[in-house]
Amino acid sequence: MKTRLFVAAIFLLPSYLLQGAETRPNILVIMGDDLGYGDVSCYGATELSTPNIDQLAREGLRFTSGYCSASTCTPTRFSLLTGTYAFRRKGTGIAPPSAPAVIKPGTETVASILQRADYETAVIGKWHLGLGGAGGPDWNGDLKPGPLEIGFDTCFLLPTTNDRVPQVYVHDHRVPNLDPKDPLWVGKKKPSPDHPTGKTHRDKLKMDWSHGHNSTIHNGISRIGFYTGGHKARFRDEDLADKWVEKSVEFMEKNKNRPFFLFFSSHDIHVPRMPHERFQGKTKLGYRGDAIVQLDWCGGELMKALDRLKLAEKTLVIFCSDNGPVLDDGYKDGAVEKNGRHRAAGPYAGGKYSVYEGGTRTPFITRWKGRIQPGLSDEMVCTIDLSASLATLSGQPLPAGACLDSLDVLGALLGKKGARGRDHLVQQNNGNNGTYALRVGEWKLHRYDKKTARNKVVEKKLANTKVPRYLLFNLEADRRERKNLYAEKPAIASRLVARLEKILADGRSRPAK
Ligand code: NG6
Ligand code: CA
């Protein structure tokens, strides 16, 4: 049993939470990986169907301006957990296989906040926020610091990404099933001249690569980075989704009588897309579409478990994505050829790696049966807001020096009448590399500190193209961000430029109070 003391800070709760018994619902965050605005049928996809996510939307609130904070994985995850924009911190770009822990112990996170509110907290699935101290992960020893040092009671992880080595799980501080006689070695260089790679054994691969991804081969697929050993500990890509569901249902069952926070962090639909055999061929879009169906199945299994455990009315479910879509992200899996009429970013331009809307505007659904009135919301909300919003929900004060960009949009997340979301949002692509966008209402400013960026249309092969320092768009008239109004609307442009500069210079955008 926990010895943690929970002080019910009832006086901190907004009035609409004081009615009814459940002031501290369970919180289940389901995050897709590289899932675009238009990738699910409740957001307009017609070429495949996602009945479970659609049901979630029917029973809850579907946001048309729901965002993640970056168009790549590590910075979005950093911001989701810490409530601080990733561009404020070094080392928050896409993490390499042997990255040390990106979030340092002692940092306030949504998990540590909920842990203080006596929630049992878990992250299950993709991590991609580094493990270990300055030297990086000790794959054969204790993998810390990691999630357990920043507020999670337990974790069951894909430690990096499915396309980065090594293909093993991490349970709490250890790689399970690791045979000490076959230790794991992970490195940047080929370990021996005869080590098979995606280049030397290209004709033997079960899925060919298109760019990068040509190092160590596991499960017939070559990856980013090299590794040897740990054979008994390795997973099959096809089994990942089943494993996340199994571990999550186990966690919810074990904690059905107390509030829990579960961050279900799916690897779907990140490359290499290798869904379980039972989903392969389920769509006409190839493995990318099949992986979406697999993600939808996972959502359905989690909802079934909540129903079976009679927790549906005691659980706030938040469905979101870590960045916008990409078709060819390094493997020849047919995503481009089979895409047909599918529009992964929905009506928006850009996708993964870009600050066009398609990069960060993603599916975003909240459901809390009996508490959230089903419907549609145009309020602007972002995954970075979970810290401040869930702090309010759980009655926890937020220290002034933490979660520097997380805004309390709880009312909007719960669909309370008249409750507003954010009035502005900074979007970024990767790390602190000087690519930003600022949305304020209908206006959107892009700022490029570099001369080129990977941008625009997701269905075409993304290449670096020249960019000016600033672009200005009116999202209401021009949601695909085509007509640059920077020169035409100087007053609006300079207002947004100044606002962005202030947000960057202030080091925070959440009022210090
Ligand atoms: C890129 C990889 C891409 C993907 C991405 C991270 C290459 C050529 N590209 O560097 O395949 O892994 O990193 O994706 O290696 S994310 O969703 O985890 O941010
Ligand atoms: Ca991603």
Side-chain angles (χ1 to χ4, degrees), residues 241-510:
D242 284 343
K243 188 55 91 179
W244 309 145
V245 167
E246 176 200 318
K247 293 291 171 191
S248 296
V249 172
E250 232 175 76
F251 173 80
M252 294 194 287
E253 254 165 22
K254 197 169 155 212
N255 295 291
K256 62 174 192 256
N257 293 324
R258 52 172 303 162
F260 61 75
F261 166 55
L262 170 57
F263 178 22
F264 181 90
S265 176
S266 173
H267 70 297
D268 281 320
I269 53 175
H270 197 281
V271 296
R273 301 166 187 130
M274 189 48 67
H276 192 269
E277 285 81 353
R278 69 186 188 280
F279 296 110
Q280 293 179 10
K282 283 287 171 212
T283 68
K284 52 189 177 188
L285 299 180
Y287 283 176
R288 187 174 185 280
D290 302 345
I292 296 176
V293 170
Q294 176 168 278
L295 172 65
D296 182 69
W297 172 83
C298 291
E301 290 304 294
L302 298 176
M303 295 314 113
K304 261 196 241 164
L306 288 179
D307 286 342
R308 185 167 50 77
L309 299 169
K310 306 208 172 2
L311 294 177
E313 298 192 350
K314 289 186 186 162
T315 306
L316 167 61
V317 182
I318 300 172
F319 180 82
C320 55
S321 175
D322 74 335
N323 53 251
V326 56
L327 297 187
D328 179 350
D329 206 16
Y331 291 97
K332 294 184 187 169
D333 60 6
V336 176
E337 297 76 6
K338 296 181 178 170
N339 189 55
R341 293 189 319 191
H342 183 67
R343 289 291 166 260
Y348 300 107
K352 186 170 180 175
Y353 310 112
S354 109
V355 292
Y356 281 78
E357 287 295 282
T360 50
R361 201 194 284 219
T362 47
F364 200 115
I365 300 164
T366 57
R367 187 198 79 168
W368 182 1
K369 276 193 169 169
R371 298 298 286 265
I372 292 180
Q373 181 79 30
L376 195 68
S377 174
D378 293 329
E379 291 302 322
M380 180 151 62
V381 293
C382 178
T383 50
I384 201 171
D385 298 325
L386 295 189
S387 309
S389 306
L390 299 180
T392 302
L393 181 59
S394 60
Q396 289 299 306
L398 205 53
C403 309
L404 301 174
D405 301 290
S406 187
L407 302 186
D408 177 2
V409 293
L410 182 65
L413 292 174
L414 300 184
K416 293 293 151 194
K417 227 176 155 207
R420 303 307 310 264
R422 317 184 125 248
D423 67 329
H424 75 282
L425 176 70
V426 181
Q427 294 149 281
Q428 68 169 118
N429 62 345
N430 182 20
N432 50 352
N433 68 359
T435 301
Y436 311 97
L438 170 66
R439 179 180 165 192
V440 182
E442 65 191 293
W443 293 101
K444 169 116 176 244
L445 177 85
H446 294 211
R447 173 175 136 178
Y448 299 96
D449 295 355
K450 297 186 304 179
K451 292 206 160 51
T452 62
R454 255 169 130 183
N455 257 332
K456 291 252 175 85
V457 189
V458 69
E459 284 80 16
K460 293 196 182 131
K461 194 166 163 44
L462 289 167
N464 274 332
T465 50
K466 275 193 149 187
V467 280
R469 176 131 169 100
Y470 293 113
L471 293 167
L472 179 73
F473 300 104
N474 183 292
L475 290 178
E476 228 151 71
D478 174 27
R479 62 184 172 182
R480 288 190 71 79
E481 296 159 271
R482 274 193 265 233
K483 191 170 169 5
N484 177 17
L485 300 173
Y486 186 75
E488 220 172 284
K489 299 273 180 200
I492 292 165
S494 58
R495 186 155 49 81
L496 265 72
V497 168
R499 182 130 189 219
L500 178 58
E501 268 166 18
K502 183 166 168 22
I503 292 169
L504 296 178
D506 283 354
R508 67 182 303 150
S509 56
R510 182 170 73 85

Side-chain angles (χ1 to χ4, degrees), residues 119-130:
Y119 276 66
E120 189 72 14
T121 57
V123 49
I124 294 173
K126 177 171 173 172
W127 181 238
H128 206 193
L129 282 166

